[in-house]
Amino acid sequence: MANEALFTPAEQMKFDQELSEILSHYPADRKSAAMLPALRLLQSIKGWLPPEGMTLVAERLETSVARVYEVATFYVMFHTKKPGKYTIDVCTNLSCSLRGAESLLAYLEKKLGLRAGEMNEMFYLRETECLASCGTAPCLQVNEEHYENLTRESVDELLGKLT
Amino acid sequence: MSTTPFEKLITRNWGKPGSHTLDGYKKNGGYKALEKALEMGPAAIIDAVKKSNLRGRGGAGFPTGMKWSFVPRDSPKPKYLAVNGDESEPGTFKDRYILENDPHMMLEGIAIASYALDVHTCYVYLRGEFKKQAEILQKALDEAYQAGIFGKKLLGRDYPLDCYVVRGAGAYICGEETALLESLEGKKGWPRLKPPFPAVVGLFGCPTVVNNVETLASVPHVIERGAEWYAKLGPERSGGTRVVCLSGSVNRPGVYEIPLHVTVRELIESPQYGQGMPPGRKVKAVIPGGSSAPVLSGDEIDVALEFEALKNVQNMAGSGGVIVMDDQTCMVRALWRVARFYAEESCGQCTPCREGTAWQTRIIRAIEEGRGQPGDVEKLLNVVQAIAPYPPIGLGNTICALGDAAALPTHSFVTKFRAEFEAHIQEKRCPFGAGHHGWGHFGSGGFA
């Protein structure tokens, strides 16, 4: 099977340019230090970390593919499997739970027809750990955007926008 | 205790127009302390920070000046400053607001610290979820570069200073200072064995100081107003003010800067802070220093939110996260929520923590769901002792403090609220529960 190109030419240019800026932040003999920013860059372009993208990161950072996988699978914000279009992370830690997070999660599970941890093409619903929004609980995150002080109305409104 | 009205330091500019911009910060006297610091010179700066009794605001409360003094002045290697903005401790959200409202205060602290420590490269490590905060900080940093505060010259002096914002990618463990360094080096966040401490062998094998966001934001005040003035604001051995985060069952959750004599009860009840409990509720329990701190029962909350005072009651000031639980809260379920966090976030390096955090979570969950067996409470205490053998003090069987942080809350919940755990086991159900995902366990929360 012929390999499709990882990037479009425009994506390739963005990746190359931003990676060289990132690498300038680190000592020349410490390229692999740029791992997290490089993976974030890849994910911002592709929506996840496809295997051939991780191989590319390994090449550019002059490290092994195993090291890239090790890092990619350690941090929860990195997706090594293609997620739904919207990853919804609901905080269910103590401060949020004291302010209704369990009900928020149950409400989302019902609305989306997904249990926490499950995904479909549109949504990947997860329970997540404390998002530093304890004073504005309950909260959730859609991809990398925060939503706080949630009510049924604001959740309905938010879900309406996720198309 | 001084009788003069309380003066806010860290939060003094919050709410003022443009408080997050260079103009706004300068209008309120910003970067004057840096000018003064450059006149004082490195040795005098470090001495002032020592005498100020400034203690680390990330959780451990280690004296900042002492940490700085561990950096070998004569090392031929480059030295680094790593800023810990990984704020992920449940109940903690102060650094986030410092970054949003007044990033320049921290940047000024970074410039002063770097100059004092002979640092020319600084990395600000923010938790991955702080996307907005990273953007605000980057803008502030760009302004500071343009104004000649960072870059090739430090306020016109022949002192190059670079500062980079790095985002993590979702891992509580990276708030542990050596895990943070591993992550900055592009690795998974596995804490390092200590010694050597980062001040000697840190980032890229070079001497490195790791300081919390609020700690660095405190430094300009120490320099500007003087070490003695700063030290006198607090009790013996803790200088300055404190920024605490109030959450849970309370009328007005939020971030409050307090003098160090304010007690947990005052924080909850005072009209200028929490404004009391929701109607008809009483305080059942409070976690005073982020979820890693032992729990206080409702009759133990007349203690000041200060390092030594909390230490004296075998607790900790921690990260300043104060979580309030009311009389309708199921303590088993509350503990399950805490335990689950540590099981998720254990990095897996040390067996007692990796296995123990998961095991205790399973036992607590079984008790909560009515599947608890007689003897489970003892078993739970055994698991806890295998992680941290000397409760309620830490110093456990693991490389870093995450194991202790997981074990000590469990020890305190179980010893202080044992009857509730036993009742769950005897009744084979949660006495507070209203079915799976019901309201019952936590009373009625904000989401309705």
Side-chain angles (χ1 to χ4, degrees):
Chain A
M1 191 176 77
N3 270 341
E4 262 183 65
L6 173 64
F7 293 135
T8 65
E11 288 172 347
Q12 185 75 55
M13 195 153 80
K14 177 181 160 77
F15 182 81
D16 291 344
Q17 278 175 356
E18 291 192 20
L19 186 63
S20 84
E21 165 65 23
I22 291 165
L23 283 169
S24 74
H25 300 173
Y26 299 95
D29 60 342
R30 297 281 184 176
K31 284 204 171 79
S32 65
M35 184 77 80
L36 271 67
L39 289 175
R40 183 180 301 286
L41 173 60
L42 173 64
Q43 187 162 297
S44 75
I45 296 170
K46 301 301 295 182
W48 66 299
L49 303 175
E52 54 280 34
M54 288 197 275
T55 305
L56 178 67
V57 168
E59 279 167 21
R60 296 293 178 87
L61 302 189
E62 295 169 14
T63 187
S64 68
V65 178
R67 274 281 313 281
V68 178
Y69 269 76
E70 181 183 52
V71 172
T73 52
F74 184 83
Y75 296 92
V76 298
M77 290 179 78
F78 290 139
H79 297 299
T80 51
K81 289 190 189 117
K82 193 174 183 178
K85 187 173 173 190
Y86 300 106
T87 299
I88 302 182
D89 285 319
V90 183
C91 173
T92 53
N93 278 257
L94 181 54
S95 296
C96 274
S97 283
L98 287 162
R99 296 235 155 208
E102 292 192 355
S103 300
L104 165 62
L105 180 65
Y107 186 64
L108 281 166
E109 286 181 328
K110 204 172 142 205
K111 288 274 286 198
L112 300 178
L114 294 171
R115 299 292 298 261
E118 291 176 351
M119 69 165 99
N120 57 28
E121 276 194 10
M122 278 300 281
F123 298 106
Y124 181 17
L125 183 64
R126 303 194 294 189
E127 275 186 81
T128 197
E129 303 312 328
C130 184
L131 293 171
S133 296
C134 323
T136 43
C139 69
L140 59 76
Q141 197 175 252
V142 180
N143 295 343
E144 296 192 345
E145 302 301 322
H146 263 68
Y147 299 88
E148 303 171 302
N149 287 316
L150 293 168
T151 59
R152 259 168 225 267
E153 292 70 40
S154 62
V155 168
D156 286 343
E157 199 190 315
L158 171 63
L159 290 178
K161 286 186 200 152
L162 303 180
T163 52
Chain B
M1 204 188 305
S2 110
T3 50
T4 48
F6 175 62
E7 181 189 342
K8 289 178 185 172
L9 304 178
I10 304 290
T11 62
R12 70 180 181 190
N13 300 329
W14 295 14
K16 293 181 187 169
S19 69
H20 61 291
T21 64
L22 182 59
D23 274 355
Y25 186 56
K26 279 194 155 169
K27 222 170 267 169
N28 295 305
Y31 288 106
K32 287 269 191 305
L34 176 59
E35 277 177 35
K36 187 176 171 187
L38 296 178
E39 295 301 322
M40 289 164 67
I45 298 170
I46 295 173
D47 197 46
V49 173
K50 267 191 193 164
K51 285 188 179 139
S52 74
N53 289 338
L54 170 62
R55 295 173 68 158
R57 301 299 203 247
F62 194 82
T64 305
M66 199 189 291
K67 203 180 216 184
W68 289 12
S69 69
F70 293 153
V71 174
R73 298 284 314 169
D74 52 355
S75 169
K77 294 178 179 170
K79 302 174 189 81
Y80 291 103
L81 175 64
V83 182
N84 191 341
D86 191 58
E87 186 163 69
S88 308
E89 170 91 6
T92 314
F93 45 100
K94 64 188 177 62
D95 294 341
R96 167 194 164 177
Y97 286 102
I98 294 173
L99 293 163
E100 287 177 19
N101 289 299
D102 203 346
H104 282 284
M105 193 179 277
M106 178 191 76
L107 289 175
E108 185 174 15
I110 286 174
I112 295 168
S114 298
Y115 178 68
L117 297 163
D118 190 30
V119 162
H120 295 276
T121 307
C122 166
Y123 295 97
V124 183
Y125 186 97
L126 302 184
R127 64 176 297 177
E129 292 85 349
F130 280 177
K131 179 181 177 236
K132 181 175 109 182
Q133 292 74 12
E135 287 165 359
I136 294 169
L137 177 61
Q138 188 61 54
K139 262 193 198 148
L141 192 55
D142 292 345
E143 288 179 313
Y145 263 88
Q146 273 160 24
I149 298 163
F150 285 83
K152 291 201 170 73
K153 298 207 171 205
L154 173 59
L155 276 186
R157 303 255 172 156
D158 199 11
Y159 190 100
L161 175 58
D162 280 310
C163 180
Y164 303 108
V165 180
V166 181
R167 280 168 68 197
Y172 167 70
I173 191 61
C174 292
E176 198 276 345
E177 63 177 8
T178 61
L180 184 148
L181 296 176
E182 288 287 300
S183 187
L184 268 179
E185 290 184 359
K187 301 174 197 159
K188 65 184 174 197
W190 270 20
R192 298 174 182 170
L193 261 178
K194 298 157 282 267
F197 289 94
V200 183
V201 183
L203 186 64
F204 306 133
C206 301
T208 304
V209 165
V210 186
N211 281 152
N212 163 263
V213 169
E214 185 193 342
T215 310
L216 285 160
S218 304
V219 169
H221 303 286
V222 171
I223 299 302
E224 194 182 332
R225 309 288 285 272
E228 275 177 31
W229 176 84
Y230 189 87
K232 270 190 198 149
L233 295 176
E236 206 186 341
R237 298 170 68 187
S238 307
T241 62
R242 230 182 143 216
V243 183
V244 293
C245 326
L246 183 60
S247 69
S249 188
V250 59
N251 282 330
R252 200 173 65 141
V255 173
Y256 302 105
E257 184 165 6
I258 57 166
L260 284 165
H261 58 74
V262 170
T263 63
V264 176
R265 186 186 301 281
E266 284 164 354
L267 182 73
I268 294 168
E269 290 177 356
S270 164
Q272 51 180 326
Y273 307 128
Q275 300 183 349
M277 300 292 286
R281 305 293 179 80
K282 286 198 283 267
V283 179
K284 180 175 189 176
V286 180
I287 294 175
S291 69
S292 303
V295 69
L296 295 167
S297 62
D299 54 7
E300 294 175 317
I301 60 172
D302 292 300
V303 56
L305 280 157
E306 182 270 314
F307 299 94
E308 297 297 321
L310 281 160
K311 202 171 142 192
N312 288 341
V313 295
Q314 297 182 316
N315 211 301
M316 59 190 237
S319 59
V322 180
I323 308 171
V324 184
M325 287 159 268
D326 67 40
D327 48 358
Q328 292 185 19
T329 306
C330 168
M331 296 307 282
V332 179
R333 199 169 188 89
L335 178 61
W336 175 51
R337 284 290 163 200
V338 173
R340 194 181 167 279
F341 171 81
Y342 292 101
E344 281 292 319
E345 297 296 342
S346 173
C347 78
Q349 184 173 203
C350 309
T351 307
C353 173
R354 182 186 63 240
E355 302 302 322
T357 52
W359 194 1
Q360 71 162 356
T361 306
R362 287 196 296 272
I363 298 171
I364 298 161
R365 184 174 182 174
I367 296 174
E368 166 62 8
E369 292 179 348
R371 296 179 283 112
Q373 301 295 319
D376 271 1
V377 171
E378 288 75 19
K379 198 191 283 174
L380 199 49
L381 289 170
N382 276 340
V383 173
V384 163
Q385 294 237 345
I387 308 173
Y390 311 108
I393 309 160
L395 310 170
N397 285 335
T398 50
I399 287 173
C400 85
L402 194 148
D404 297 337
L408 300 182
T410 302
H411 182 265
S412 66
F413 269 77
V414 172
T415 48
K416 291 179 185 180
F417 297 93
R418 185 163 183 144
E420 243 176 71
F421 286 77
E422 303 284 9
H424 277 72
I425 294 170
Q426 269 162 23
E427 293 179 32
K428 297 192 192 304
R429 66 182 189 102
C430 173
F432 296 82
H436 185 60
H437 286 315
W439 281 122
H441 314 281
F442 294 112
S444 57
F447 184 85

